[in-house]
Protein backbone atom coordinates (compact mmCIF):
# COMPACT_ATOMS: atom_id res chain seq x y z
CA UNK A 1 0.00 0.00 0.00
CA UNK A 2 1.48 3.34 -0.93
CA UNK A 3 0.91 6.05 1.60
CA UNK A 4 0.06 9.63 0.62
CA UNK A 5 3.02 11.99 0.59
CA UNK A 6 3.72 14.74 3.09
CA UNK A 7 6.30 17.52 2.88
CA UNK A 8 7.43 20.10 5.41
CA UNK A 9 10.55 21.94 6.46
CA UNK A 10 12.09 24.57 8.69
CA UNK A 11 14.85 27.08 8.23
CA UNK A 12 18.07 26.58 10.18
CA UNK A 13 17.75 30.11 11.53
CA UNK A 14 18.91 29.53 15.13
CA UNK A 15 21.15 27.29 17.23
CA UNK A 16 18.12 25.78 18.89
CA UNK A 17 14.48 25.34 18.02
CA UNK A 18 11.96 26.87 20.40
CA UNK A 19 8.99 25.22 22.06
CA UNK A 20 6.59 26.66 19.44
CA UNK A 21 8.45 24.77 16.70
CA UNK A 22 8.29 21.68 18.86
CA UNK A 23 4.57 21.84 19.72
CA UNK A 24 3.34 23.52 16.52
CA UNK A 25 5.39 21.48 14.07
CA UNK A 26 7.60 18.63 15.29
CA UNK A 27 5.01 16.85 17.48
CA UNK A 28 2.57 16.86 14.58
CA UNK A 29 5.20 15.77 12.07
CA UNK A 30 6.13 12.93 14.38
CA UNK A 31 2.54 11.69 14.50
CA UNK A 32 1.93 12.17 10.77
CA UNK A 33 5.00 10.19 9.71
CA UNK A 34 3.11 6.97 10.44
CA UNK A 35 0.22 7.48 8.00
CA UNK A 36 2.18 9.44 5.39
CA UNK A 37 5.32 8.93 3.40
CA UNK A 38 6.99 11.99 4.82
CA UNK A 39 9.80 14.24 3.57
CA UNK A 40 11.23 16.71 6.09
CA UNK A 41 13.95 19.11 5.06
CA UNK A 42 16.21 21.61 6.72
CA UNK A 43 15.83 24.43 4.22
CA UNK A 44 19.32 25.89 4.20
CA UNK A 45 18.92 27.51 0.77
CA UNK A 46 16.00 29.49 2.12
CA UNK A 47 18.14 30.54 5.09
CA UNK A 48 20.56 32.25 2.69
CA UNK A 49 17.98 35.01 2.23
CA UNK A 50 19.12 36.30 5.65
CA UNK A 51 22.69 37.35 6.41
CA UNK A 52 24.58 34.35 7.82
CA UNK A 53 28.05 33.54 8.99
CA UNK A 54 29.02 30.50 6.85
CA UNK A 55 30.40 28.38 9.70
CA UNK A 56 27.36 29.21 11.82
CA UNK A 57 24.93 28.31 9.06
CA UNK A 58 26.58 24.89 8.74
CA UNK A 59 26.36 24.39 12.51
CA UNK A 60 22.71 25.49 12.63
CA UNK A 61 21.86 23.13 9.80
CA UNK A 62 23.29 20.13 11.70
CA UNK A 63 21.69 21.29 14.93
CA UNK A 64 18.26 21.63 13.32
CA UNK A 65 18.51 18.15 11.79
CA UNK A 66 19.61 16.68 15.13
CA UNK A 67 16.60 18.25 16.85
CA UNK A 68 14.21 16.79 14.27
CA UNK A 69 15.58 13.34 15.07
CA UNK A 70 15.68 13.93 18.83
CA UNK A 71 12.04 14.99 18.74
CA UNK A 72 11.05 11.71 17.13
CA UNK A 73 11.36 12.11 13.37
CA UNK A 74 12.79 8.74 12.43
CA UNK A 75 15.26 8.81 9.57
CA UNK A 76 14.49 5.18 8.81
CA UNK A 77 10.78 5.94 8.45
CA UNK A 78 10.78 9.46 7.00
CA UNK A 79 13.16 11.11 4.58
CA UNK A 80 14.94 13.75 6.62
CA UNK A 81 17.49 15.69 4.61
CA UNK A 82 19.19 18.98 3.89
CA UNK A 83 17.63 20.93 1.02
CA UNK A 84 20.92 21.94 -0.64
CA UNK A 85 21.97 18.27 -0.85
CA UNK A 86 19.33 17.73 -3.50
CA UNK A 87 20.26 19.80 -6.54
CA UNK A 88 16.82 19.51 -8.12
CA UNK A 89 15.34 22.10 -5.71
CA UNK A 90 17.32 24.97 -7.20
CA UNK A 91 16.81 23.59 -10.72
CA UNK A 92 13.02 23.26 -10.52
CA UNK A 93 12.84 26.64 -8.87
CA UNK A 94 14.16 28.22 -12.05
CA UNK A 95 11.52 26.63 -14.24
CA UNK A 96 8.76 27.60 -11.80
CA UNK A 97 10.12 31.16 -11.64
CA UNK A 98 9.43 31.49 -15.37
CA UNK A 99 5.77 30.64 -14.69
CA UNK A 100 5.38 33.02 -11.75
CA UNK A 101 4.01 36.50 -12.38
CA UNK A 102 6.01 39.43 -11.04
CA UNK A 103 2.85 40.86 -9.50
CA UNK A 104 1.87 37.47 -8.14
CA UNK A 105 5.17 37.13 -6.26
CA UNK A 106 4.93 40.75 -5.14
CA UNK A 107 1.59 40.06 -3.46
CA UNK A 108 3.10 37.57 -0.99
CA UNK A 109 2.59 39.15 2.43
CA UNK A 110 5.80 37.70 3.87
CA UNK A 111 7.77 39.40 1.10
CA UNK A 112 5.88 42.65 1.54
CA UNK A 113 6.51 42.64 5.30
CA UNK A 114 10.17 41.76 5.04
CA UNK A 115 11.00 44.11 2.18
CA UNK A 116 9.24 46.94 3.95
CA UNK A 117 11.13 46.23 7.12
CA UNK A 118 14.56 46.00 5.44
CA UNK A 119 14.12 48.71 2.79
CA UNK A 120 14.78 48.29 -0.95
CA UNK A 121 18.58 48.25 -0.72
CA UNK A 122 18.73 45.54 1.94
CA UNK A 123 16.05 43.39 0.25
CA UNK A 124 17.62 40.68 -1.91
CA UNK A 125 15.98 38.99 -4.90
CA UNK A 126 16.11 35.69 -2.98
CA UNK A 127 13.48 37.04 -0.60
CA UNK A 128 11.28 37.76 -3.59
CA UNK A 129 11.65 34.25 -5.05
CA UNK A 130 11.55 32.52 -1.63
CA UNK A 131 8.01 31.17 -2.24
CA UNK A 132 9.00 29.82 -5.66
CA UNK A 133 11.79 27.78 -4.09
CA UNK A 134 9.29 26.59 -1.50
CA UNK A 135 6.96 25.52 -4.33
CA UNK A 136 9.85 23.56 -5.87
CA UNK A 137 10.46 21.82 -2.52
CA UNK A 138 6.87 20.68 -2.35
CA UNK A 139 6.23 19.84 -6.01
CA UNK A 140 9.36 17.72 -6.55
CA UNK A 141 7.94 15.06 -4.26
CA UNK A 142 4.39 14.78 -5.66
CA UNK A 143 3.24 15.96 -2.26
CA UNK A 144 -0.35 15.46 -1.11
CA UNK A 145 -0.28 17.46 2.12
CA UNK A 146 1.84 20.26 3.54
CA UNK A 147 1.51 20.88 7.30
CA UNK A 148 2.50 24.51 8.02
CA UNK A 149 1.62 27.47 10.22
CA UNK A 150 -0.99 29.86 8.89
CA UNK A 151 1.73 32.37 7.91
CA UNK A 152 2.78 29.91 5.19
CA UNK A 153 -0.69 29.26 3.81
CA UNK A 154 -0.35 31.87 1.07
CA UNK A 155 2.87 30.22 -0.12
CA UNK A 156 1.17 26.84 -0.37
CA UNK A 157 -1.68 28.48 -2.31
CA UNK A 158 0.89 29.87 -4.75
CA UNK A 159 2.39 26.37 -4.99
CA UNK A 160 -1.04 25.00 -5.93
CA UNK A 161 -1.51 27.71 -8.57
CA UNK A 162 1.89 26.99 -10.09
CA UNK A 163 1.22 23.24 -10.15
CA UNK A 164 -2.14 23.75 -11.86
CA UNK A 165 -0.67 26.25 -14.32
CA UNK A 166 2.17 23.93 -15.26
CA UNK A 167 -0.11 20.89 -15.57
CA UNK A 168 -2.56 22.81 -17.78
CA UNK A 169 0.13 24.26 -20.02
CA UNK A 170 2.50 21.31 -20.44
CA UNK A 171 0.67 18.19 -19.24
CA UNK A 172 0.47 16.75 -15.78
CA UNK A 173 3.80 16.70 -13.99
CA UNK A 174 2.71 17.63 -10.47
CA UNK A 175 0.35 16.53 -7.73
CA UNK A 176 -1.56 19.59 -6.49
CA UNK A 177 -0.85 19.75 -2.74
CA UNK A 178 -3.25 20.66 0.06
CA UNK A 179 -2.11 22.81 2.99
CA UNK A 180 -2.87 21.46 6.45
CA UNK A 181 -2.86 24.43 8.77
CA UNK A 182 -1.69 23.86 12.30
CA UNK A 183 -4.39 24.23 14.91
CA UNK A 184 -4.72 27.56 16.68
CA UNK A 185 -4.40 25.65 19.96
CA UNK A 186 -0.90 24.63 18.87
CA UNK A 187 0.20 28.26 18.65
CA UNK A 188 2.64 29.26 21.38
CA UNK A 189 3.26 32.85 22.47
CA UNK A 190 6.29 34.55 23.97
CA UNK A 191 6.43 34.04 27.75
CA UNK A 192 7.29 37.70 28.36
CA UNK A 193 5.01 39.12 25.71
CA UNK A 194 2.13 36.64 25.47
CA UNK A 195 0.33 38.36 22.62
CA UNK A 196 3.35 37.91 20.27
CA UNK A 197 4.11 34.54 18.65
CA UNK A 198 7.17 32.86 20.13
CA UNK A 199 9.84 32.87 17.46
CA UNK A 200 13.43 31.75 16.88
CA UNK A 201 14.39 35.24 15.86
CA UNK A 202 12.73 37.08 18.76
CA UNK A 203 14.56 40.21 19.86
CA UNK A 204 14.75 39.18 23.49
CA UNK A 205 15.52 35.68 24.66
CA UNK A 206 13.77 35.96 28.04
CA UNK A 207 10.38 34.77 26.77
CA UNK A 208 11.64 31.98 24.50
CA UNK A 209 11.91 28.37 25.67
CA UNK A 210 14.73 26.77 23.70
CA UNK A 211 14.76 23.03 23.19
CA UNK A 212 18.52 22.93 23.81
CA UNK A 213 18.59 25.26 26.83
CA UNK A 214 19.90 23.94 30.10
CA UNK A 215 16.77 22.57 31.89
CA UNK A 216 17.42 24.86 34.87
CA UNK A 217 17.24 27.87 32.54
CA UNK A 218 13.95 26.68 31.02
CA UNK A 219 12.50 26.14 34.49
CA UNK A 220 13.51 29.66 35.49
CA UNK A 221 11.90 31.12 32.37
CA UNK A 222 8.62 29.35 33.16
CA UNK A 223 8.72 30.64 36.75
CA UNK A 224 9.22 34.19 35.43
CA UNK A 225 6.55 34.02 32.72
CA UNK A 226 4.21 37.02 32.60
CA UNK A 227 0.74 36.28 34.05
CA UNK A 228 -1.87 38.65 35.53
CA UNK A 229 -3.13 39.80 38.90
CA UNK A 230 -6.28 37.67 39.06
CA UNK A 231 -4.56 34.65 40.55
CA UNK A 232 -6.76 31.89 39.13
CA UNK A 233 -5.55 29.28 36.64
CA UNK A 234 -8.16 29.71 33.95
CA UNK A 235 -8.08 29.70 30.15
CA UNK A 236 -9.17 33.04 28.71
CA UNK A 237 -7.08 34.01 25.71
CA UNK A 238 -8.38 37.56 25.58
CA UNK A 239 -8.11 38.64 29.17
CA UNK A 240 -5.47 36.22 30.43
CA UNK A 241 -3.06 35.65 27.52
CA UNK A 242 -0.10 34.71 29.75
CA UNK A 243 -1.88 32.05 31.80
CA UNK A 244 -3.73 30.75 28.73
CA UNK A 245 -0.43 30.30 26.89
CA UNK A 246 1.02 28.35 29.82
CA UNK A 247 -2.10 26.16 29.89
CA UNK A 248 -1.73 25.43 26.16
CA UNK A 249 1.90 24.41 26.65
CA UNK A 250 0.97 22.25 29.64
CA UNK A 251 -1.81 20.51 27.72
CA UNK A 252 0.26 19.98 24.57
CA UNK A 253 3.17 18.40 26.42
CA UNK A 254 1.09 16.13 28.64
CA UNK A 255 -1.69 15.25 26.21
CA UNK A 256 -4.19 16.42 28.83
CA UNK A 257 -7.26 18.61 28.28
CA UNK A 258 -7.12 22.19 29.54
CA UNK A 259 -10.17 21.86 31.88
CA UNK A 260 -8.55 18.97 33.71
CA UNK A 261 -5.45 21.10 34.32
CA UNK A 262 -7.61 24.03 35.46
CA UNK A 263 -9.31 21.67 37.93
CA UNK A 264 -6.03 20.38 39.26
CA UNK A 265 -4.83 23.91 40.05
CA UNK A 266 -8.16 25.37 41.19
CA UNK A 267 -7.69 27.41 44.35
CA UNK A 268 -3.91 27.20 44.10
CA UNK A 269 -1.69 30.11 43.10
CA UNK A 270 0.34 30.73 39.96
CA UNK A 271 3.49 29.66 41.79
CA UNK A 272 2.25 26.07 42.13
CA UNK A 273 1.00 26.01 38.57
CA UNK A 274 4.28 27.30 37.17
CA UNK A 275 6.23 24.82 39.28
CA UNK A 276 4.10 22.03 37.83
CA UNK A 277 4.62 23.30 34.30
CA UNK A 278 8.37 23.74 34.84
CA UNK A 279 8.55 20.06 35.79
CA UNK A 280 6.61 19.07 32.69
CA UNK A 281 8.85 21.17 30.42
CA UNK A 282 12.06 19.88 31.99
CA UNK A 283 10.77 16.29 31.84
CA UNK A 284 9.90 16.63 28.15
CA UNK A 285 12.94 18.62 27.00
CA UNK A 286 15.54 16.78 29.07
CA UNK A 287 15.60 13.59 26.96
CA UNK A 288 15.15 15.50 23.68
CA UNK A 289 18.07 17.75 24.51
CA UNK A 290 20.23 14.84 25.56
CA UNK A 291 19.52 12.91 22.38
CA UNK A 292 20.21 15.98 20.21
CA UNK A 293 23.51 16.62 21.98
CA UNK A 294 24.51 12.97 21.56
CA UNK A 295 23.82 13.19 17.83
CA UNK A 296 25.82 16.42 17.61
CA UNK A 297 28.72 14.75 19.41
CA UNK A 298 29.26 12.62 16.33
CA UNK A 299 28.84 14.99 13.38
CA UNK A 300 30.39 12.50 10.93
CA UNK A 301 27.70 9.95 11.71
CA UNK A 302 24.97 12.60 11.49
CA UNK A 303 26.34 13.75 8.13
CA UNK A 304 26.30 10.16 6.85
CA UNK A 305 22.70 9.74 7.92
CA UNK A 306 21.73 12.98 6.17
CA UNK A 307 23.58 11.90 3.04
CA UNK A 308 21.74 8.57 2.94
CA UNK A 309 18.42 10.37 3.29
CA UNK A 310 19.40 12.91 0.62
CA UNK A 311 20.01 9.98 -1.74
CA UNK A 312 16.44 8.77 -1.12
CA UNK A 313 15.10 12.27 -1.74
CA UNK A 314 17.25 12.66 -4.85
CA UNK A 315 15.69 9.66 -6.50
CA UNK A 316 12.15 11.04 -6.22
CA UNK A 317 13.18 14.61 -7.03
CA UNK A 318 15.24 13.70 -10.10
CA UNK A 319 12.35 11.78 -11.63
CA UNK A 320 10.05 14.80 -11.32
CA UNK A 321 12.69 17.19 -12.62
CA UNK A 322 13.45 15.03 -15.67
CA UNK A 323 9.75 14.91 -16.52
CA UNK A 324 9.48 18.71 -16.15
CA UNK A 325 12.55 19.37 -18.31
CA UNK A 326 11.11 17.11 -20.99
CA UNK A 327 7.69 18.69 -20.85
CA UNK A 328 8.94 22.27 -21.19
CA UNK A 329 11.13 21.32 -24.14
CA UNK A 330 14.68 21.30 -22.80
CA UNK A 331 16.88 19.11 -24.97
CA UNK A 332 17.87 15.93 -23.22
CA UNK A 333 21.57 15.32 -22.68
CA UNK A 334 22.13 11.87 -24.10
P1 LIG B 1 11.86 32.49 12.46
O1 LIG B 1 11.83 33.41 13.65
O2 LIG B 1 13.24 32.11 12.00
O3 LIG B 1 10.92 32.86 11.37
P2 LIG B 1 10.05 30.65 13.78
O4 LIG B 1 10.50 30.16 15.11
O5 LIG B 1 8.99 31.68 13.75
O6 LIG B 1 11.33 31.10 12.99
P3 LIG B 1 9.60 28.98 11.46
O7 LIG B 1 10.95 28.45 11.07
O8 LIG B 1 9.00 30.08 10.68
O9 LIG B 1 9.62 29.36 13.00
O10 LIG B 1 8.56 27.80 11.51
C1 LIG B 1 8.86 26.45 11.60
C2 LIG B 1 7.61 25.71 12.01
O11 LIG B 1 7.32 25.94 13.38
C3 LIG B 1 6.36 26.13 11.24
O12 LIG B 1 5.61 24.99 10.96
C4 LIG B 1 5.66 27.06 12.20
O13 LIG B 1 4.27 27.08 12.00
C5 LIG B 1 6.01 26.45 13.55
N1 LIG B 1 6.03 27.48 14.59
C6 LIG B 1 6.93 28.48 14.71
N2 LIG B 1 6.66 29.24 15.79
C7 LIG B 1 5.56 28.73 16.37
C8 LIG B 1 4.78 29.06 17.51
N3 LIG B 1 5.09 30.10 18.27
N4 LIG B 1 3.70 28.31 17.81
C9 LIG B 1 3.38 27.25 17.04
N5 LIG B 1 4.07 26.88 15.95
C10 LIG B 1 5.14 27.59 15.60
N1 LIG C 1 8.84 28.74 4.51
C1 LIG C 1 8.68 27.74 5.54
C2 LIG C 1 9.75 26.69 5.48
C3 LIG C 1 9.65 25.87 4.24
C4 LIG C 1 8.63 24.90 3.97
C5 LIG C 1 8.94 24.37 2.68
C6 LIG C 1 7.52 24.45 4.68
C7 LIG C 1 10.47 25.88 3.16
N2 LIG C 1 10.06 24.99 2.23
C8 LIG C 1 8.13 23.41 2.11
C9 LIG C 1 6.72 23.48 4.09
C10 LIG C 1 7.02 22.97 2.82
C11 LIG C 1 8.71 28.45 6.89
O1 LIG C 1 9.24 29.52 6.98
N3 LIG C 1 8.19 27.86 7.91
Amino acid sequence: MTRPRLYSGMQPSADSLQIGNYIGALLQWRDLQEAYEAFFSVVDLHALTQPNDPAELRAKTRRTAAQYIAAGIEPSKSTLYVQSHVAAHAQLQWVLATLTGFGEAGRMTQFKDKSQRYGADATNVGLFTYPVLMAADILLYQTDIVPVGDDQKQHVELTRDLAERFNARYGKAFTVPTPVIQKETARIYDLQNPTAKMSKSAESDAGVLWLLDDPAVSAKKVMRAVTDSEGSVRYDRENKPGVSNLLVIYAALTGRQIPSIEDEYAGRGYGDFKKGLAEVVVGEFGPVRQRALELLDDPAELDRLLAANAAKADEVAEATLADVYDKVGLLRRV
Side-chain angles (χ1 to χ4, degrees):
M1 247 280 288
T2 60
R3 292 172 294 167
R5 292 252 173 88
L6 175 156
Y7 196 98
S8 201
M10 273 188 226
Q11 292 194 57
S13 46
D15 282 331
S16 172
L17 299 180
Q18 40 90 4
I19 196 172
N21 303 130
Y22 184 74
I23 291 174
L26 288 174
L27 288 183
Q28 309 187 32
W29 294 3
R30 187 185 72 193
D31 292 343
L32 289 164
Q33 72 182 335
E34 308 297 333
Y36 290 86
E37 185 183 353
F39 292 79
F40 298 115
S41 59
V42 179
V43 292
D44 56 345
L45 295 172
H46 278 113
L48 291 177
T49 57
Q50 306 289 335
N52 271 295
D53 171 79
E56 271 175 26
L57 176 60
R58 241 186 304 280
K60 287 172 181 171
T61 299
R62 280 208 190 95
R63 291 170 81 87
T64 304
Q67 290 171 86
Y68 283 12
I69 299 171
I73 306 298
E74 292 180 39
S76 56
K77 208 175 269 175
S78 300
T79 305
L80 186 176
Y81 70 102
V82 175
Q83 184 190 33
S84 65
H85 291 179
V86 177
H89 290 253
Q91 294 170 300
L92 179 60
Q93 189 236 189
W94 176 255
V95 177
L96 295 176
T98 66
L99 294 180
T100 308
F102 189 81
E104 194 175 29
R107 280 193 292 278
M108 295 294 118
T109 54
Q110 180 177 296
F111 173 72
K112 286 198 283 189
D113 290 350
K114 288 197 173 166
S115 55
Q116 218 161 48
R117 222 177 317 141
Y118 305 156
D121 288 340
T123 298
N124 62 73
V125 174
L127 279 172
F128 187 62
T129 57
Y130 181 110
V132 184
L133 178 59
M134 180 163 161
D137 298 344
I138 296 166
L139 297 179
L140 279 172
Y141 299 91
Q142 306 299 339
T143 300
D144 296 290
I145 71 160
V146 186
V148 282
D150 56 1
D151 61 320
Q152 297 298 311
K153 186 165 182 245
Q154 196 186 24
H155 292 166
V156 183
E157 296 297 344
L158 174 71
T159 304
R160 288 172 59 87
D161 290 345
L162 291 174
E164 279 165 359
R165 195 171 304 158
F166 186 101
N167 289 347
R169 199 169 296 175
Y170 296 109
K172 186 171 187 301
F174 299 126
T175 301
V176 181
T178 306
V180 172
I181 304 305
Q182 281 144 16
K183 288 184 292 249
E184 175 57 29
T185 49
R187 171 159 288 216
I188 308 302
Y189 296 86
D190 190 286
L191 299 188
Q192 289 301 320
N193 180 12
T195 50
K197 183 179 96 95
M198 194 185 285
S199 141
K200 282 191 243 103
S201 41
E203 264 165 38
S204 153
D205 155 84
V208 181
L209 287 177
W210 301 105
L211 226 49
L212 299 185
D213 254 353
D214 186 308
V217 172
S218 302
K220 210 172 278 170
K221 285 182 179 169
V222 170
M223 296 309 292
R224 289 186 184 150
V226 166
T227 49
D228 53 62
S229 55
E230 189 201 40
S232 77
V233 178
R234 187 168 63 77
Y235 183 90
D236 178 346
R237 189 64 98 181
E238 209 150 291
N239 301 306
K240 296 165 70 67
V243 172
S244 302
N245 188 39
L246 298 179
L247 276 165
V248 168
I249 296 174
Y250 202 125
L253 296 185
T254 55
R256 288 173 58 185
Q257 299 296 318
I258 286 176
S260 123
I261 303 166
E262 289 172 337
D263 286 349
E264 180 181 341
Y265 289 99
R268 296 161 67 184
Y270 290 153
D272 265 9
F273 172 55
K274 286 177 166 178
K275 220 181 275 168
L277 176 60
E279 274 169 29
V280 167
V281 168
V282 169
E284 178 88 7
F285 281 15
V288 175
R289 173 175 186 260
Q290 190 168 344
R291 177 84 183 104
L293 295 179
E294 275 166 22
L295 288 158
L296 290 167
D297 252 357
D298 190 352
E301 177 55 26
L302 182 60
D303 288 357
R304 267 195 297 278
L305 197 101
L306 291 171
N309 273 249
K312 285 197 281 174
D314 233 347
E315 222 172 285
V316 179
E318 285 298 334
T320 302
L321 184 71
D323 185 32
V324 167
Y325 273 16
D326 263 351
K327 287 198 158 77
V328 297
L330 300 180
L331 179 66
R332 235 188 252 187
R333 190 181 85 179
V334 290

